[in-house]
Amino acid sequence: QVQLVESGGGLVQAGGSLRLSCAASGLIFSINAMGWYRQAPGKQRELVAGITRGGRTNYADAVKERFTISRDNAKNTVYLQMNSLKPEDTAVYYCNAGLVPVGAGSREYTYWGQGTQVTVSS
């Protein structure tokens, strides 16, 4: 069984920083892209940042130059360094991964973490 577990959320003042971590565990053959999504109250879930297996990244315009996504393939972990946080960054942040579980042949499945709350006070 594969699962993604997030950590690092919390309460921070505007202008502060947080680092989110998401570790994939279980019988995994390979992990392809990983990313972070968020959902704020009254809004749709949106992509915050994504990273390919090889390290290619993309960011939502709202977080570019403030957030940095990275991954450690040896640890099956993706990180989101969030700097210069703004109140509008307040949301539940969800980890996402496209991966091939052991026993699934070469078929990729999408997995989601349960989410971690990030609250930025003004």
Side-chain angles (χ1 to χ4, degrees), residues 42-58:
K43 295 185 178 180
Q44 298 296 311
R45 188 175 298 186
E46 64 176 353
L47 175 67
V48 177
I51 185 168
T52 68
R53 179 179 176 85
R56 184 177 300 172
T57 61
N58 65 287

Side-chain angles (χ1 to χ4, degrees), residues 46-120:
E46 64 176 353
L47 175 67
V48 177
I51 185 168
T52 68
R53 179 179 176 85
R56 184 177 300 172
T57 61
N58 65 287
Y59 298 91
D61 288 342
V63 307
K64 198 167 187 177
E65 299 182 356
R66 297 189 298 118
F67 292 9
T68 302
I69 188 170
S70 61
R71 65 190 288 170
D72 185 337
N73 290 338
K75 296 181 178 180
N76 289 344
T77 299
V78 62
Y79 306 93
L80 185 68
Q81 179 66 46
M82 304 184 293
N83 298 325
S84 301
L85 282 161
K86 304 175 180 179
E88 49 263 46
D89 295 318
T90 295
V92 177
Y93 284 70
Y94 297 91
C95 177
N96 171 272
L99 57 83
V100 180
V102 171
S106 61
R107 297 188 183 276
E108 179 180 305
Y109 294 82
T110 298
Y111 288 83
W112 292 89
Q114 292 185 311
T116 184
Q117 177 70 47
V118 171
T119 302
V120 184

